[in-house]
Amino acid sequence: MRKIIIAIDGYSSSGKSTMARDLASRIGYVYVDSGAMYRAVTLYALRNGMIKEGQLDAAALVKALPDVEIAFNAAGEDGRQHTLLNGEDVEKEIRSMEVSGMVSPVAAVPEVRHRLTDLQRSFGRERGIVMDGRDIGSTVFPDAEMKVFVDASPEVRADRRCKELAEKGEPTDYAAVLANIKERDYIDTHRKESPLVKADDAHLLDNDHMTIPEQMSWLLDLYQKISNGSN
Ligand code: DC
């Protein structure tokens, strides 16, 4: 079977990452979480005083970009790849509400996007990759053989995000999580540089009322059809 590129895009907390990771492990592909890369750059900006009182100093961040190195290590004990920021494992830190609250403005900086897009393309050179994000099918890999656009209502996504945070023992506030999701949707879909859009040739997956196994069989079905050349 030929190796392909699978791009999974969609809104925040739509379950993209979980489904992309599971799909990659089912079909023996490499999984790349592109959102983690934007989160790691955001953590760098927070730690280096480039975000003060919610305001990003984009010029300072752009200047520092050559010093920001992002990579993924091999899967650890939890079976997941962890994100590395200048060699440090920051997988936990990049999931905090503080980072979630500032990641969209960071991801709207064109220089940040260009740098991360180049890095993402380098991961896909050999194909055999599942990457999830916002602009993977539209900008990073417009030639991806399989494109999926995941949609779910903000309320369902906020509910899922709260459960995820609660499982990690982090404080959850449904109203704040919902507001953050709506705000990120707005910024992600309205930014100038590669906004979140469904690529014309992407397959829509509306997962409001789908279970995780149902999603997986939908994805595997599509993957089989595409990699056998029948779609
Ligand atoms: O998927 P996520 O919630 O971890 O992504 C974090 C943020 O990064 C999200 O608000 C938008 C941004 N992002 C992006 O602009 N482009 C991508 N390819 C992936 C994420």
Side-chain angles (χ1 to χ4, degrees), residues 16 34-35 38-39 103-104 107 113 133-135 184 188 191:
K16 297 180 309 292
S34 70
Y38 287 95
R39 288 172 178 273
V103 63
S104 281
R113 300 207 72 82
R134 303 294 186 288
D135 61 340
R184 283 207 280 159
D188 292 346
R191 67 171 173 244

Side-chain angles (χ1 to χ4, degrees), residues 28-126:
Y29 274 28
V30 171
Y31 165 62
V32 177
D33 175 354
S34 70
M37 300 165 76
Y38 287 95
R39 288 172 178 273
V41 174
T42 306
L43 182 65
Y44 179 91
L46 280 163
R47 282 180 172 178
N48 289 277
M50 295 161 186
I51 298 175
K52 287 198 188 107
E53 288 164 20
Q55 286 305 310
L56 168 68
D57 183 346
L61 176 59
V62 169
K63 204 164 156 223
L65 274 180
D67 301 328
V68 185
E69 223 179 87
I70 292 161
F72 294 97
N73 67 5
E77 280 172 14
D78 54 2
R80 292 180 173 205
Q81 288 172 307
H82 285 197
T83 312
L84 305 179
L85 170 60
N86 291 334
E88 177 194 345
D89 184 338
V90 291
E91 191 57 35
K92 186 161 184 281
E93 291 81 350
I94 61 171
R95 310 287 165 193
S96 69
M97 277 297 276
E98 196 189 9
V99 170
S100 297
M102 284 310 299
V103 63
S104 281
V106 169
V109 177
E111 290 84 351
V112 170
R113 300 207 72 82
H114 297 161
R115 187 171 156 90
L116 295 189
T117 298
D118 286 348
L119 195 55
Q120 288 151 9
R121 287 186 180 143
S122 74
F123 294 146
R125 238 176 250 135
E126 319 254 305

Side-chain angles (χ1 to χ4, degrees), residues 134-175:
R134 303 294 186 288
D135 61 340
I136 310 305
S138 57
T139 303
V140 180
F141 296 120
D143 62 338
E145 291 84 352
M146 174 167 157
K147 297 182 187 177
V148 175
F149 189 86
V150 190
D151 199 3
S153 69
E155 289 74 18
V156 167
R157 288 183 281 134
D159 214 37
R160 290 184 190 146
R161 183 87 189 108
C162 282
K163 282 190 188 127
E164 218 175 86
L165 288 168
E167 273 163 24
K168 287 185 199 155
E170 289 192 31
T172 61
D173 171 352
Y174 177 81

